Amino acid sequence: MKTFIVGNWKLNFNVGEASVYLHKIQRKIANYRDVEVVVAPTALCLQPLSLQLDRSKIKLAAQNAFYRDFGAFTGEISFAELKGLVNYCIIGHSERRYIFHEDDKMIAKKVAAAIRNGIRPILCIGEIESERAFGETADVIKDQLFGGLSEVSVEDISKVLIAYEPVWAISSTKDAKIATPDEIAEVVGLIRENLKEIYGAKIAEEVPILFGGSVKPTNAGAYLTVPGVNGLLIGGASLILDEFVDIIETAKRVK
Ligand code: 13P
């Protein structure tokens, strides 16, 4: 399986800044067969960046989209509109869950809409600090996984990527902590167990699982060698070109 290195730029970089970044990174990296490099800029950047993109080196992801393809939904962007512009879409990020009140039902519809439009969903799941403290991590993971995948058939699960992002480890979370490889390994094991329950043992091993939460060049190697981890979802460090390139190089080496 490829290693996925995904940069989530969140609400950073305007079109000009994003374009300069893309220009620079495309000069710094080669076409790495075993490492899929993806960036997720803001929606407004997707069209201009898609024209500038060297798809042999880097792919685009959207950060969110609405589950209906068209209609009276003021302010939304559909997966149908994103078709052809992006290969991936981040869905159910904790910032969407907790700031914009997205629930598992809505997230499931978005995952289905992405697949319907030929876009691979990166379904984000993860517990908050108090849920971990109360020993609820396994239940939260199960609920978010069964909820988010409720509309995905066994034929379509191969299109889905899962990102485990413990909310307490995301750098923008107040008093963020650094997740240890053991903590990650345990939850990745739970994710595979749940996938096995829904889709069977063989498929459970084939779904890429990414880790996200304060990933930096200094810890990327350790996280990428956690059993069952197939890539990284990176926020803050993906905004710093040299750090993101460093992480890509690490992924290439670890592979
Ligand atoms: P940081 O890498 O800044 O902790 O962000 C993680 C994240 O939320 C990526 O989606």
Side-chain angles (χ1 to χ4, degrees):
M1 192 189 299
K2 281 191 183 199
T3 301
F4 295 85
I5 301 297
V6 184
N8 177 9
W9 291 355
K10 308 189 180 182
L11 186 48
N12 296 289
F13 291 163
N14 62 26
V15 174
E17 291 161 341
S19 171
V20 170
Y21 182 111
L22 190 65
H23 176 74
K24 287 187 183 162
I25 194 170
Q26 292 187 154
R27 289 175 59 155
K28 279 184 184 258
I29 63 170
N31 172 3
Y32 304 128
R33 212 167 3 109
D34 293 334
V35 182
E36 177 91 330
V37 181
V38 182
V39 291
T42 66
L44 212 53
C45 292
L46 293 171
Q47 177 90 55
L49 291 202
S50 77
L51 301 174
Q52 185 192 335
L53 197 65
D54 177 350
R55 287 184 171 73
S56 70
K57 293 183 180 176
I58 196 158
K59 307 275 196 318
L60 287 179
Q63 297 175 14
N64 175 43
F66 190 55
Y67 57 81
R68 295 282 291 269
D69 287 350
F70 58 89
F73 305 104
T74 302
E76 293 298 319
I77 291 174
S78 69
F79 289 96
E81 287 181 289
L82 294 173
K83 199 173 179 165
L85 288 183
V86 303
N87 290 76
Y88 300 89
C89 183
I90 298 169
I91 297 177
H93 191 279
S94 57
E95 286 147 21
R96 300 242 32 112
R97 290 177 189 265
Y98 297 107
I99 303 172
F100 300 100
H101 310 294
E102 289 192 14
D103 59 13
D104 286 324
K105 224 167 145 186
M106 171 173 283
I107 290 163
K109 287 183 184 164
K110 292 186 173 193
V111 169
I115 294 172
R116 185 170 75 235
N117 284 288
I119 294 167
R120 293 189 72 178
I122 303 173
L123 171 64
C124 299
I125 59 173
E127 79 286 4
I128 61 173
E129 189 171 24
S130 61
E131 290 166 339
R132 173 161 282 261
F134 286 115
E136 295 166 1
T137 302
D139 289 339
V140 172
I141 294 299
K142 184 170 188 146
D143 286 350
Q144 292 184 351
L145 213 49
F146 273 71
L149 295 176
S150 59
E151 297 191 26
V152 180
S153 66
V154 70
E155 288 76 31
D156 282 335
I157 185 65
S158 63
K159 296 162 189 154
V160 176
L161 295 85
I162 306 290
Y164 172 51
E165 293 207 311
V167 182
W168 48 269
I170 295 178
S171 65
S172 54
T173 303
K174 197 170 164 284
D175 303 324
K177 299 183 180 60
I178 304 291
T180 66
D182 284 348
E183 286 169 330
I184 299 165
E186 193 186 341
V187 177
V188 167
L190 290 171
I191 294 171
R192 297 233 183 256
E193 280 300 312
N194 284 301
L195 289 172
K196 189 170 149 189
E197 206 178 305
I198 313 175
Y199 297 106
K202 185 171 176 294
I203 291 171
E205 291 309 313
E206 291 167 355
V207 175
I209 300 179
L210 281 49
F211 171 74
S214 299
V215 175
K216 303 281 177 253
T218 45
N219 58 24
Y223 287 156
L224 283 170
T225 46
V226 171
V229 168
N230 310 109
L232 301 168
L233 180 54
I234 305 146
S238 75
L239 298 172
I240 303 162
L241 182 68
D242 288 343
E243 294 200 2
F244 194 54
V245 170
D246 197 328
I247 294 169
I248 295 165
E249 296 291 337
T250 301
K252 204 178 65 171
R253 260 196 325 274
V254 169
K255 193 84 190 175

